Amino acid sequence: MTDDQKKTLTVFETRVKQLMFLCDTLKAENSSLKEQLSAKEQELQSAYNKIKELNVQYDNLKMAQVISIQHGEIKSAKQKLSKLVREVDRCIALLNE
């Protein structure tokens, strides 16, 4: 083997070792990124579950508030509605004249 061939072989071996090292580095980085992705997916799922739970609690709170309206508030609302109906009737009567 000539000196030129030995030199070429040495350079080739060096580059193969560099590629193998780079491959191992990229594999380790890929593994780390997969672990991070898995952790973020779990965190996201946990956040979705929390949002669902809070929405249920909010709906329950709205329902409880509607149910807890006192009789006086219902009477007041009926009176206001009756007043509005009377005003609409007067306006219709004026339009018909």
Side-chain angles (χ1 to χ4, degrees):
M1 202 184 278
T2 65
D3 285 339
D4 191 40
Q5 289 175 336
K6 286 182 183 180
K7 186 177 178 181
T8 304
L9 184 59
T10 304
V11 169
F12 179 73
E13 286 176 349
T14 303
R15 290 190 177 164
V16 167
K17 287 179 182 177
Q18 288 174 341
L19 283 174
M20 290 173 62
F21 176 75
L22 181 61
C23 182
D24 290 341
T25 303
L26 290 175
K27 284 180 181 178
E29 182 181 357
N30 189 21
S31 176
S32 173
L33 289 173
K34 284 181 180 180
E35 289 175 9
Q36 288 177 6
L37 178 62
S38 177
K40 292 297 179 185
E41 286 174 345
Q42 288 177 352
E43 187 178 327
L44 182 61
Q45 186 61 43
S46 175
Y48 280 138
N49 291 339
K50 184 68 174 177
I51 288 171
K52 286 180 183 179
E53 180 183 328
L54 290 173
N55 280 334
V56 167
Q57 289 178 358
Y58 176 70
D59 291 339
N60 290 341
L61 184 61
K62 283 191 331 186
M63 184 63 69
Q65 186 178 12
V66 167
I67 292 172
S68 71
I69 294 177
Q70 296 179 1
H71 181 67
E73 292 174 352
I74 293 173
K75 185 177 180 182
S76 173
K78 284 182 180 180
Q79 288 174 348
K80 287 179 184 178
L81 186 58
S82 294
K83 182 179 177 185
L84 287 173
V85 169
R86 284 192 302 272
E87 287 182 33
V88 169
D89 285 342
R90 278 188 231 144
C91 291
I92 292 172
L94 289 173
L95 289 174
N96 287 333
E97 290 179 359

